[in-house]
Amino acid sequence: MRLDKFLSQQLGISRNYVSRELRAGLVAVDDEVVKTGAYKLKSDQQVAYDGTILQQLNGPRYFMLNKPQGYVCSTDDPSNPTILYFINEPVAHKLHSAGRLDIDTTGLVLLTDDGQWSHRITSPKHHCEKTYLVTLEHPISEDIEQKFLAGVQLNSEKTLTKSAKLEIIESQIARLTISEGRYHQVKRMFAAVGNHVIELHRERIGEIYLDPELGPGEYRALTSSEINSIQMPIF
């Protein structure tokens, strides 16, 4: 691969900008400064930009993050810090979250640069289950479990929610499993039955559970079995 193409892909900048950085002597290949973008890069060579080593990516990447409050699940936000703050990986800006969480919601976030894989999680056609631990303002009445199974009417929605499983843990704490991804769905479901969500924590996406060893803001690569658990449905 040409060096200028590699740098453009890795840094997310235009070829013209790459040429300027090359002329400035900011790029080194195997510790030697290279100033021409036409340089043919071999797969075993090490490229550094302004002293930072750029790793050639061997296939798509998959991570899980234990998201804390106060961060948004976008790659760039002018007003709020993003979850990429925690990701110490080459060209982290190419990663995206497979299913977002609100700024005040904590727990499991999956990040990848594999668009087809994340689509299997986020597409409504695939009905990928997500489980949340919910803390509520008021005690949960026992009839809510049956209401959620039957589906509830959300404000400004035309159709009922799909059947959802509610497990009451304490009077104001429950575990909710849904298979949709409507806007602020969990909060709106409880609002529809007269309650208010105080804290929301995602524990599971599909068959991938948040690693209990990960503290808030910590992440790790997914295992092969976790990656492969997100499959296209069989009809």
PDB file of all heavy atoms in Angstrom, residues 3 6-7 11 21-22 25-34 41 45-55:
ATOM      1  N   LEU A   3       2.168   4.803   1.051  1.00  0.00           N
ATOM      2  CA  LEU A   3       2.241   5.404   2.379  1.00  0.00           C
ATOM      3  C   LEU A   3       1.182   6.481   2.573  1.00  0.00           C
ATOM      4  O   LEU A   3       0.565   6.560   3.641  1.00  0.00           O
ATOM      5  CB  LEU A   3       3.638   5.984   2.610  1.00  0.00           C
ATOM      6  CG  LEU A   3       3.875   6.659   3.968  1.00  0.00           C
ATOM      7  CD1 LEU A   3       3.626   5.698   5.113  1.00  0.00           C
ATOM      8  CD2 LEU A   3       5.291   7.225   4.029  1.00  0.00           C
ATOM      9  N   PHE A   6      -2.176   4.867   3.253  1.00  0.00           N
ATOM     10  CA  PHE A   6      -2.185   4.296   4.594  1.00  0.00           C
ATOM     11  C   PHE A   6      -2.403   5.378   5.651  1.00  0.00           C
ATOM     12  O   PHE A   6      -3.232   5.244   6.557  1.00  0.00           O
ATOM     13  CB  PHE A   6      -0.873   3.563   4.856  1.00  0.00           C
ATOM     14  CG  PHE A   6      -0.697   3.098   6.275  1.00  0.00           C
ATOM     15  CD1 PHE A   6      -1.346   1.969   6.738  1.00  0.00           C
ATOM     16  CD2 PHE A   6       0.123   3.803   7.146  1.00  0.00           C
ATOM     17  CE1 PHE A   6      -1.189   1.540   8.052  1.00  0.00           C
ATOM     18  CE2 PHE A   6       0.295   3.383   8.455  1.00  0.00           C
ATOM     19  CZ  PHE A   6      -0.369   2.252   8.901  1.00  0.00           C
ATOM     20  N   LEU A   7      -1.678   6.485   5.524  1.00  0.00           N
ATOM     21  CA  LEU A   7      -1.793   7.572   6.496  1.00  0.00           C
ATOM     22  C   LEU A   7      -3.173   8.223   6.443  1.00  0.00           C
ATOM     23  O   LEU A   7      -3.752   8.569   7.483  1.00  0.00           O
ATOM     24  CB  LEU A   7      -0.707   8.622   6.233  1.00  0.00           C
ATOM     25  CG  LEU A   7       0.724   8.187   6.548  1.00  0.00           C
ATOM     26  CD1 LEU A   7       1.717   9.198   5.989  1.00  0.00           C
ATOM     27  CD2 LEU A   7       0.918   8.014   8.052  1.00  0.00           C
ATOM     28  N   LEU A  11      -5.256   8.074   9.855  1.00  0.00           N
ATOM     29  CA  LEU A  11      -5.419   9.337  10.556  1.00  0.00           C
ATOM     30  C   LEU A  11      -6.748  10.020  10.255  1.00  0.00           C
ATOM     31  O   LEU A  11      -7.128  10.977  10.930  1.00  0.00           O
ATOM     32  CB  LEU A  11      -4.268  10.292  10.186  1.00  0.00           C
ATOM     33  CG  LEU A  11      -2.861   9.808  10.535  1.00  0.00           C
ATOM     34  CD1 LEU A  11      -1.820  10.771   9.996  1.00  0.00           C
ATOM     35  CD2 LEU A  11      -2.702   9.635  12.046  1.00  0.00           C
ATOM     36  N   GLU A  21       2.100  16.852   5.932  1.00  0.00           N
ATOM     37  CA  GLU A  21       2.731  16.249   7.101  1.00  0.00           C
ATOM     38  C   GLU A  21       3.995  15.493   6.715  1.00  0.00           C
ATOM     39  O   GLU A  21       4.981  15.479   7.471  1.00  0.00           O
ATOM     40  CB  GLU A  21       1.746  15.308   7.814  1.00  0.00           C
ATOM     41  CG  GLU A  21       0.451  15.980   8.271  1.00  0.00           C
ATOM     42  CD  GLU A  21       0.703  17.091   9.262  1.00  0.00           C
ATOM     43  OE1 GLU A  21       0.796  16.803  10.466  1.00  0.00           O
ATOM     44  OE2 GLU A  21       0.822  18.268   8.831  1.00  0.00           O
ATOM     45  N   LEU A  22       3.980  14.868   5.546  1.00  0.00           N
ATOM     46  CA  LEU A  22       5.168  14.173   5.064  1.00  0.00           C
ATOM     47  C   LEU A  22       6.302  15.160   4.808  1.00  0.00           C
ATOM     48  O   LEU A  22       7.449  14.934   5.226  1.00  0.00           O
ATOM     49  CB  LEU A  22       4.838  13.402   3.781  1.00  0.00           C
ATOM     50  CG  LEU A  22       4.030  12.108   3.943  1.00  0.00           C
ATOM     51  CD1 LEU A  22       3.474  11.664   2.605  1.00  0.00           C
ATOM     52  CD2 LEU A  22       4.882  11.007   4.555  1.00  0.00           C
ATOM     53  N   GLY A  25       8.322  16.276   7.657  1.00  0.00           N
ATOM     54  CA  GLY A  25       9.175  15.289   8.312  1.00  0.00           C
ATOM     55  C   GLY A  25       8.563  14.643   9.533  1.00  0.00           C
ATOM     56  O   GLY A  25       9.282  14.168  10.414  1.00  0.00           O
ATOM     57  N   LEU A  26       7.239  14.580   9.573  1.00  0.00           N
ATOM     58  CA  LEU A  26       6.560  14.038  10.753  1.00  0.00           C
ATOM     59  C   LEU A  26       6.291  12.540  10.659  1.00  0.00           C
ATOM     60  O   LEU A  26       5.772  11.945  11.601  1.00  0.00           O
ATOM     61  CB  LEU A  26       5.227  14.774  10.973  1.00  0.00           C
ATOM     62  CG  LEU A  26       5.335  16.255  11.342  1.00  0.00           C
ATOM     63  CD1 LEU A  26       3.947  16.868  11.454  1.00  0.00           C
ATOM     64  CD2 LEU A  26       6.105  16.424  12.643  1.00  0.00           C
ATOM     65  N   VAL A  27       6.633  11.926   9.528  1.00  0.00           N
ATOM     66  CA  VAL A  27       6.344  10.504   9.320  1.00  0.00           C
ATOM     67  C   VAL A  27       7.636   9.719   9.196  1.00  0.00           C
ATOM     68  O   VAL A  27       8.545  10.099   8.436  1.00  0.00           O
ATOM     69  CB  VAL A  27       5.478  10.300   8.065  1.00  0.00           C
ATOM     70  CG1 VAL A  27       5.210   8.808   7.839  1.00  0.00           C
ATOM     71  CG2 VAL A  27       4.169  11.072   8.187  1.00  0.00           C
ATOM     72  N   ALA A  28       7.698   8.626   9.940  1.00  0.00           N
ATOM     73  CA  ALA A  28       8.872   7.745   9.880  1.00  0.00           C
ATOM     74  C   ALA A  28       8.426   6.315   9.633  1.00  0.00           C
ATOM     75  O   ALA A  28       7.412   5.869  10.178  1.00  0.00           O
ATOM     76  CB  ALA A  28       9.670   7.827  11.173  1.00  0.00           C
ATOM     77  N   VAL A  29       9.186   5.615   8.795  1.00  0.00           N
ATOM     78  CA  VAL A  29       8.955   4.198   8.542  1.00  0.00           C
ATOM     79  C   VAL A  29      10.177   3.440   9.029  1.00  0.00           C
ATOM     80  O   VAL A  29      11.298   3.705   8.572  1.00  0.00           O
ATOM     81  CB  VAL A  29       8.710   3.926   7.041  1.00  0.00           C
ATOM     82  CG1 VAL A  29       8.522   2.429   6.798  1.00  0.00           C
ATOM     83  CG2 VAL A  29       7.501   4.707   6.544  1.00  0.00           C
ATOM     84  N   ASP A  30       9.959   2.538   9.990  1.00  0.00           N
ATOM     85  CA  ASP A  30      11.077   1.814  10.616  1.00  0.00           C
ATOM     86  C   ASP A  30      12.155   2.784  11.096  1.00  0.00           C
ATOM     87  O   ASP A  30      13.364   2.607  10.850  1.00  0.00           O
ATOM     88  CB  ASP A  30      11.670   0.787   9.645  1.00  0.00           C
ATOM     89  CG  ASP A  30      10.721  -0.375   9.384  1.00  0.00           C
ATOM     90  OD1 ASP A  30       9.790  -0.572  10.187  1.00  0.00           O
ATOM     91  OD2 ASP A  30      10.903  -1.077   8.382  1.00  0.00           O
ATOM     92  N   ASP A  31      11.705   3.854  11.749  1.00  0.00           N
ATOM     93  CA  ASP A  31      12.571   4.863  12.385  1.00  0.00           C
ATOM     94  C   ASP A  31      13.317   5.762  11.404  1.00  0.00           C
ATOM     95  O   ASP A  31      14.198   6.515  11.808  1.00  0.00           O
ATOM     96  CB  ASP A  31      13.576   4.197  13.338  1.00  0.00           C
ATOM     97  CG  ASP A  31      12.897   3.494  14.506  1.00  0.00           C
ATOM     98  OD1 ASP A  31      11.870   4.032  14.978  1.00  0.00           O
ATOM     99  OD2 ASP A  31      13.378   2.433  14.928  1.00  0.00           O
ATOM    100  N   GLU A  32      12.974   5.691  10.121  1.00  0.00           N
ATOM    101  CA  GLU A  32      13.593   6.583   9.139  1.00  0.00           C
ATOM    102  C   GLU A  32      12.536   7.503   8.540  1.00  0.00           C
ATOM    103  O   GLU A  32      11.482   7.042   8.097  1.00  0.00           O
ATOM    104  CB  GLU A  32      14.270   5.780   8.021  1.00  0.00           C
ATOM    105  CG  GLU A  32      15.493   4.991   8.499  1.00  0.00           C
ATOM    106  CD  GLU A  32      16.250   4.374   7.333  1.00  0.00           C
ATOM    107  OE1 GLU A  32      15.925   4.708   6.166  1.00  0.00           O
ATOM    108  OE2 GLU A  32      17.154   3.564   7.580  1.00  0.00           O
ATOM    109  N   VAL A  33      12.812   8.813   8.536  1.00  0.00           N
ATOM    110  CA  VAL A  33      11.860   9.788   8.008  1.00  0.00           C
ATOM    111  C   VAL A  33      11.651   9.562   6.509  1.00  0.00           C
ATOM    112  O   VAL A  33      12.606   9.409   5.750  1.00  0.00           O
ATOM    113  CB  VAL A  33      12.355  11.225   8.269  1.00  0.00           C
ATOM    114  CG1 VAL A  33      11.448  12.242   7.569  1.00  0.00           C
ATOM    115  CG2 VAL A  33      12.392  11.498   9.766  1.00  0.00           C
ATOM    116  N   VAL A  34      10.378   9.519   6.116  1.00  0.00           N
ATOM    117  CA  VAL A  34      10.018   9.373   4.707  1.00  0.00           C
ATOM    118  C   VAL A  34       9.135  10.558   4.330  1.00  0.00           C
ATOM    119  O   VAL A  34       8.172  10.870   5.030  1.00  0.00           O
ATOM    120  CB  VAL A  34       9.264   8.054   4.448  1.00  0.00           C
ATOM    121  CG1 VAL A  34       8.823   7.965   2.989  1.00  0.00           C
ATOM    122  CG2 VAL A  34      10.128   6.856   4.823  1.00  0.00           C
ATOM    123  N   LEU A  41       4.595   0.754   1.113  1.00  0.00           N
ATOM    124  CA  LEU A  41       4.670   0.257   2.483  1.00  0.00           C
ATOM    125  C   LEU A  41       4.449  -1.243   2.521  1.00  0.00           C
ATOM    126  O   LEU A  41       3.492  -1.765   1.928  1.00  0.00           O
ATOM    127  CB  LEU A  41       3.609   0.974   3.326  1.00  0.00           C
ATOM    128  CG  LEU A  41       3.632   0.765   4.834  1.00  0.00           C
ATOM    129  CD1 LEU A  41       4.928   1.301   5.432  1.00  0.00           C
ATOM    130  CD2 LEU A  41       2.431   1.459   5.463  1.00  0.00           C
ATOM    131  N   GLN A  45       6.282  -3.435   8.119  1.00  0.00           N
ATOM    132  CA  GLN A  45       6.964  -2.209   8.502  1.00  0.00           C
ATOM    133  C   GLN A  45       6.161  -1.418   9.530  1.00  0.00           C
ATOM    134  O   GLN A  45       4.931  -1.467   9.555  1.00  0.00           O
ATOM    135  CB  GLN A  45       7.221  -1.334   7.261  1.00  0.00           C
ATOM    136  CG  GLN A  45       8.270  -1.906   6.336  1.00  0.00           C
ATOM    137  CD  GLN A  45       8.543  -1.016   5.158  1.00  0.00           C
ATOM    138  OE1 GLN A  45       7.644  -0.715   4.368  1.00  0.00           O
ATOM    139  NE2 GLN A  45       9.787  -0.570   5.017  1.00  0.00           N
ATOM    140  N   GLN A  46       6.906  -0.655  10.357  1.00  0.00           N
ATOM    141  CA  GLN A  46       6.285   0.134  11.417  1.00  0.00           C
ATOM    142  C   GLN A  46       6.278   1.608  11.026  1.00  0.00           C
ATOM    143  O   GLN A  46       7.308   2.177  10.681  1.00  0.00           O
ATOM    144  CB  GLN A  46       7.053  -0.061  12.725  1.00  0.00           C
ATOM    145  CG  GLN A  46       6.398   0.602  13.929  1.00  0.00           C
ATOM    146  CD  GLN A  46       7.187   0.345  15.195  1.00  0.00           C
ATOM    147  OE1 GLN A  46       8.204   0.987  15.444  1.00  0.00           O
ATOM    148  NE2 GLN A  46       6.741  -0.623  15.980  1.00  0.00           N
ATOM    149  N   VAL A  47       5.097   2.197  11.079  1.00  0.00           N
ATOM    150  CA  VAL A  47       4.934   3.602  10.705  1.00  0.00           C
ATOM    151  C   VAL A  47       4.658   4.418  11.959  1.00  0.00           C
ATOM    152  O   VAL A  47       3.839   4.034  12.799  1.00  0.00           O
ATOM    153  CB  VAL A  47       3.781   3.782   9.701  1.00  0.00           C
ATOM    154  CG1 VAL A  47       3.652   5.253   9.291  1.00  0.00           C
ATOM    155  CG2 VAL A  47       4.002   2.907   8.475  1.00  0.00           C
ATOM    156  N   ALA A  48       5.337   5.561  12.085  1.00  0.00           N
ATOM    157  CA  ALA A  48       5.103   6.475  13.203  1.00  0.00           C
ATOM    158  C   ALA A  48       4.760   7.848  12.670  1.00  0.00           C
ATOM    159  O   ALA A  48       5.371   8.332  11.714  1.00  0.00           O
ATOM    160  CB  ALA A  48       6.326   6.544  14.111  1.00  0.00           C
ATOM    161  N   TYR A  49       3.772   8.466  13.284  1.00  0.00           N
ATOM    162  CA  TYR A  49       3.377   9.826  12.928  1.00  0.00           C
ATOM    163  C   TYR A  49       3.581  10.729  14.139  1.00  0.00           C
ATOM    164  O   TYR A  49       2.978  10.507  15.191  1.00  0.00           O
ATOM    165  CB  TYR A  49       1.918   9.871  12.478  1.00  0.00           C
ATOM    166  CG  TYR A  49       1.359  11.278  12.358  1.00  0.00           C
ATOM    167  CD1 TYR A  49       1.772  12.119  11.331  1.00  0.00           C
ATOM    168  CD2 TYR A  49       0.449  11.758  13.291  1.00  0.00           C
ATOM    169  CE1 TYR A  49       1.275  13.406  11.226  1.00  0.00           C
ATOM    170  CE2 TYR A  49      -0.055  13.043  13.193  1.00  0.00           C
ATOM    171  CZ  TYR A  49       0.359  13.862  12.152  1.00  0.00           C
ATOM    172  OH  TYR A  49      -0.141  15.141  12.062  1.00  0.00           O
ATOM    173  N   ASP A  50       4.464  11.704  13.996  1.00  0.00           N
ATOM    174  CA  ASP A  50       4.775  12.644  15.073  1.00  0.00           C
ATOM    175  C   ASP A  50       5.118  11.902  16.364  1.00  0.00           C
ATOM    176  O   ASP A  50       4.716  12.288  17.460  1.00  0.00           O
ATOM    177  CB  ASP A  50       3.600  13.592  15.299  1.00  0.00           C
ATOM    178  CG  ASP A  50       4.019  14.849  16.067  1.00  0.00           C
ATOM    179  OD1 ASP A  50       5.234  15.124  16.138  1.00  0.00           O
ATOM    180  OD2 ASP A  50       3.132  15.535  16.593  1.00  0.00           O
ATOM    181  N   GLY A  51       5.859  10.795  16.207  1.00  0.00           N
ATOM    182  CA  GLY A  51       6.321  10.023  17.350  1.00  0.00           C
ATOM    183  C   GLY A  51       5.372   8.951  17.836  1.00  0.00           C
ATOM    184  O   GLY A  51       5.720   8.145  18.702  1.00  0.00           O
ATOM    185  N   THR A  52       4.154   8.901  17.284  1.00  0.00           N
ATOM    186  CA  THR A  52       3.165   7.900  17.690  1.00  0.00           C
ATOM    187  C   THR A  52       3.096   6.787  16.662  1.00  0.00           C
ATOM    188  O   THR A  52       2.916   7.047  15.466  1.00  0.00           O
ATOM    189  CB  THR A  52       1.778   8.540  17.834  1.00  0.00           C
ATOM    190  OG1 THR A  52       1.830   9.557  18.833  1.00  0.00           O
ATOM    191  CG2 THR A  52       0.749   7.494  18.253  1.00  0.00           C
ATOM    192  N   ILE A  53       3.265   5.567  17.114  1.00  0.00           N
ATOM    193  CA  ILE A  53       3.254   4.418  16.209  1.00  0.00           C
ATOM    194  C   ILE A  53       1.827   4.148  15.738  1.00  0.00           C
ATOM    195  O   ILE A  53       0.893   4.087  16.529  1.00  0.00           O
ATOM    196  CB  ILE A  53       3.832   3.165  16.896  1.00  0.00           C
ATOM    197  CG1 ILE A  53       5.313   3.387  17.222  1.00  0.00           C
ATOM    198  CG2 ILE A  53       3.646   1.934  16.023  1.00  0.00           C
ATOM    199  CD1 ILE A  53       5.927   2.282  18.051  1.00  0.00           C
ATOM    200  N   LEU A  54       1.661   3.986  14.434  1.00  0.00           N
ATOM    201  CA  LEU A  54       0.376   3.631  13.838  1.00  0.00           C
ATOM    202  C   LEU A  54       0.412   2.157  13.492  1.00  0.00           C
ATOM    203  O   LEU A  54       1.238   1.727  12.690  1.00  0.00           O
ATOM    204  CB  LEU A  54       0.119   4.466  12.580  1.00  0.00           C
ATOM    205  CG  LEU A  54       0.143   5.988  12.751  1.00  0.00           C
ATOM    206  CD1 LEU A  54      -0.092   6.655  11.405  1.00  0.00           C
ATOM    207  CD2 LEU A  54      -0.907   6.421  13.762  1.00  0.00           C
ATOM    208  N   GLN A  55      -0.480   1.406  14.073  1.00  0.00           N
ATOM    209  CA  GLN A  55      -0.508  -0.029  13.827  1.00  0.00           C
ATOM    210  C   GLN A  55      -1.394  -0.317  12.628  1.00  0.00           C
ATOM    211  O   GLN A  55      -2.488   0.229  12.512  1.00  0.00           O
ATOM    212  CB  GLN A  55      -1.036  -0.773  15.047  1.00  0.00           C
ATOM    213  CG  GLN A  55      -0.158  -0.614  16.281  1.00  0.00           C
ATOM    214  CD  GLN A  55      -0.705  -1.368  17.457  1.00  0.00           C
ATOM    215  OE1 GLN A  55      -1.599  -2.187  17.319  1.00  0.00           O
ATOM    216  NE2 GLN A  55      -0.167  -1.104  18.625  1.00  0.00           N
TER     217      GLN A  55
END
